[in-house]
Amino acid sequence: MIAIVEAARAGLLRREHWAPNIVAGLIVGVVALPLAMAFAIASGVKPEQGLYTSIVAGAAVALFGGSRIQVAGPTGAFIVILAGVVAQFGVGGLLVATLMAGVMLVAMGLARLGAVIRFIPDPVIVGFTAGIAVIIWIGQWQYFFGLPAPTGEAFYAKAGQLLQSLPQLHPATTALALGSLLLALWGPRIPGLARVPGPLLAMLAATAVVAIWNPPGVATIASTFGDIPRALPTLQVPEMSFDLLVLLLPSAFTIAMLGAIESLLSAVVADGMAGTRHDSNQELVGQGIANILSPLFGGIAATGAIARTATSIRNGATSPLAALVHCALLVAVLVFLAPYAGQVPLAALAAILWVVAWNMSEAPRFLRLVRRAPRADVAILLITFALTILTDLVVAVNIGVILAMFQFLRRMSSSVEVVAQDQASVQQELAAAGLDALPRDVAVYAIEGPFFFGSVDSLERALSWSREAPSVLVLRLERVPFVDATGLKRLESTMRAMERRGVRVLFTGANMRVLRKLVRAGIVERADGASNYAGTLAAAFEAVAAARGDQSTSEA
């Protein structure tokens, strides 16, 4: 389901829907302007590359994505990984890594992995996003306080240098940053400015202060990065080699996974706000196309932006037209207002990123999880958070997911039980088989839960009899939804061990999927041609009675 096609079929592109979508697109474009430049600078590239990304990727997702109201562009979640790639491989390496990530996203969408991405546990997502927020916050101290640029690669080393250099802060830069921060947070509460986005208000006010008073020592976009080109980006394929592709593969995979998670979370939020339903696989394809096209026009990695998407919905967006209008506004800014954008002080952009970092951290949600979540989930949350800050995002997410997987397996294995059943619990089946009582040498056990590699020990523990072994062991499988290769191996080894002790094993009640696996594994058929399986427990009792009758006749 391509969103713009579905919107057209639903009549959302008709003229009567233009006005609210155009208004929403203009407002989102105004919000995206300072954020695009701020995210680009924080990622280690030029500010105009953030605008290129919002224009190209925003249009691609609107045209090919799976959500009608998704607004895409550079986001704060990417800052840490993109800055690391730029530091190691340069801007050219970042463009190649983004292109590779786009191909991976398209492949994920075509492989219909959209639903699988959403299985990443909440503590892992909250942990790494909060860690990224801390890195963004501390990483902007240089521009917020006008401090010397830190050196070194490790985040904690840079943070230490920034702390030590705080007494050297630049008063005018700090005052401008604090004023911008106040306006970004509370500017819309000023009477008459309720509909002006806080980030835009902070950027405009700070730029006006610099233009009028020109305080010495205050860094601007133009003084630090040069003037923003007053032109649209041109198509340019980045240079690449096989060796570079191999080196960039881990970073590209991280960008793809982060983009997939962020875009699908944004699409879910949009569905909740607007009552729509997105196609997760098509959304991944759209995001992939966006990340293939963006670096070809000088842009960086992009994904669905939750804040911009929510802003679009709140202002009346109902179709991809709003996202396209947002792109058109940024094109107009780039073509007509680029010289003025160069006068934006970096302190104002740093203040805007502080607000972004606070929103990303979801501090109330983080603290609520720490207080109320199970201890194992809290440990996963804190470990992911710490690893994001102390190592890097790749290590943090990988270890967080692995720990969450182990915790899931532990919980699943503890939920599987092998329960011994007495006569009262099988009375109905006994009556159906024409028996009055459960024979003393027949033991009935029910396996309850998925019988997989993490739960197979429960069967061994249950069958460790302290008394004499029975003549017949019946294993009920009605409540086994699935069995894996390890479970099949354990069932087979249990059956062989029981047979060596003179105990006949009968399986009963398996669903069709489990039964097919038992047959394929050779567990059902005995060496003498008889079957180890009965469809129902009553049929198993009848088979036991029949075998004993045949044995009595042969002995007579």
Side-chain angles (χ1 to χ4, degrees):
M1 181 188 77
I2 301 178
I4 195 164
V5 175
E6 292 299 312
R9 289 175 180 171
L12 295 174
L13 300 183
R14 293 174 185 166
R15 183 166 295 183
E16 59 264 30
H17 296 284
W18 285 7
N21 283 285
I22 290 174
V23 170
L26 292 174
I27 293 173
V28 174
V30 166
V31 171
L33 176 61
L35 292 177
M37 294 190 294
F39 290 145
I41 293 171
S43 299
V45 299
K46 294 182 177 181
E48 61 265 24
Q49 292 182 267
L51 297 176
Y52 299 161
T53 306
S54 292
I55 293 168
V56 177
V61 170
L63 294 173
F64 304 109
S67 173
R68 293 179 185 173
I69 38 187
Q70 181 85 279
V71 180
T75 66
F78 278 132
I79 288 175
V80 176
I81 187 67
L82 300 190
V85 175
V86 171
Q88 187 174 0
F89 300 100
V91 176
L94 174 60
L95 299 181
V96 175
T98 303
L99 186 62
M100 294 169 63
V103 174
M104 292 179 187
L105 284 167
V106 171
M108 283 189 233
L110 296 178
R112 309 192 67 79
L113 296 179
V116 176
I117 299 296
R118 291 180 290 179
F119 293 158
I120 296 178
D122 203 43
V124 177
I125 295 175
V126 175
F128 78 70
T129 52
I132 291 171
V134 171
I135 294 174
I136 293 173
W137 174 59
I138 295 179
Q140 290 304 302
W141 287 7
Q142 172 190 349
Y143 300 121
F144 194 96
F145 298 110
L147 303 175
T151 58
E153 295 184 3
F155 167 76
Y156 55 83
K158 293 180 179 179
Q161 291 179 33
L162 289 170
L163 280 172
Q164 291 176 359
S165 61
L166 274 178
Q168 306 173 32
L169 62 83
H170 189 264
T173 299
T174 304
L176 191 65
L178 288 173
S180 301
L181 182 62
L182 292 175
L183 283 175
L185 290 171
W186 294 294
R189 299 182 185 181
I190 299 174
L193 298 177
R195 294 189 65 82
V196 180
L200 178 68
L201 189 60
M203 186 186 73
L204 292 177
T207 304
V209 168
V210 171
I212 295 172
W213 286 286
N214 192 25
V218 174
T220 65
I221 288 178
S223 66
T224 307
F225 301 100
D227 292 329
I228 295 177
R230 193 173 180 175
L232 294 177
T234 57
L235 178 65
Q236 187 173 358
V237 179
E239 295 183 6
M240 61 185 77
S241 64
F242 179 77
D243 290 340
L244 181 63
L245 295 178
V246 172
L247 291 173
L248 288 171
L249 192 59
S251 299
F253 182 74
T254 304
I255 294 171
M257 290 300 297
L258 198 56
I261 294 169
E262 190 87 355
S263 64
L264 293 180
L265 284 176
S266 179
V268 169
V269 170
D271 287 347
M273 294 181 65
T276 56
R277 184 178 180 182
H278 75 281
D279 183 331
S280 57
N281 297 311
Q282 183 60 42
E283 182 63 20
L284 291 182
V285 171
Q287 296 291 338
I289 294 172
N291 282 281
I292 290 173
L293 294 177
S294 179
L296 294 179
F297 289 92
I300 59 177
T303 186
I306 296 176
R308 274 159 275 175
T309 300
T311 301
S312 182
I313 296 170
R314 291 193 193 103
N315 287 279
T318 59
S319 75
L321 179 60
L324 294 173
V325 171
H326 134 273
C327 299
L329 178 64
L330 294 178
V331 169
V333 169
L334 196 59
V335 173
F336 300 109
L337 301 177
Y340 302 101
Q343 301 307 309
V344 175
L346 298 182
L349 297 182
I352 292 169
L353 284 180
W354 274 27
V355 177
V356 171
W358 170 256
N359 293 332
M360 273 189 65
S361 71
E362 295 186 278
R365 183 183 179 192
F366 186 97
L367 296 175
R368 187 167 58 250
L369 280 174
V370 171
R371 289 195 305 266
R372 300 180 182 178
R375 290 183 180 178
D377 290 328
V378 173
I380 293 170
L381 169 71
L382 296 178
I383 290 172
T384 306
F385 173 73
L387 289 175
T388 301
I389 295 174
L390 299 176
T391 58
D392 60 54
L393 187 62
V394 179
V395 173
V397 173
N398 287 342
I399 292 181
V401 170
I402 290 171
L403 291 176
M405 180 184 68
F406 284 155
Q407 173 63 7
F408 170 76
L409 293 176
R410 187 184 70 82
R411 289 172 176 168
M412 286 291 291
S413 63
S414 63
S415 68
V416 178
E417 295 183 343
V418 180
V419 182
Q421 300 198 312
D422 56 17
Q423 179 166 318
S425 60
V426 297
Q427 191 63 50
Q428 186 175 354
E429 288 82 359
L430 287 170
L435 299 176
D436 296 327
L438 181 66
R440 296 185 62 183
D441 62 342
V442 175
V444 181
Y445 284 79
I447 302 177
E448 299 181 352
F451 200 62
F452 67 110
F453 66 91
S455 62
V456 291
D457 288 342
S458 57
L459 177 62
E460 203 168 273
R461 289 193 300 268
L463 299 185
S464 299
W465 296 298
S466 57
R467 59 181 178 83
E468 184 180 352
S471 299
V472 178
L473 171 64
V474 180
L475 290 177
R476 302 185 67 176
L477 306 178
E478 289 96 334
R479 297 186 180 181
V480 177
F482 69 86
V483 60
D484 71 353
T486 306
L488 291 170
K489 181 65 177 176
R490 186 56 56 91
L491 289 176
E492 182 181 15
S493 62
T494 298
M495 182 179 69
R496 303 303 178 210
M498 292 294 108
E499 288 177 347
R500 286 194 294 270
R501 298 173 62 181
V503 179
R504 182 185 178 187
V505 179
L506 277 173
F507 301 98
T508 180
N511 63 46
M512 189 55 63
R513 182 168 53 177
V514 172
L515 180 57
R516 281 198 298 264
K517 292 182 179 180
L518 292 174
V519 173
R520 193 179 304 122
I523 296 175
V524 168
E525 187 175 351
R526 291 165 56 95
D528 57 5
S531 176
N532 289 319
Y533 180 78
T536 64
L537 183 57
F541 288 147
E542 291 174 356
V544 171
R548 289 182 173 177
D550 292 343
Q551 184 179 3
S552 300
T553 303
S554 62
E555 289 176 354

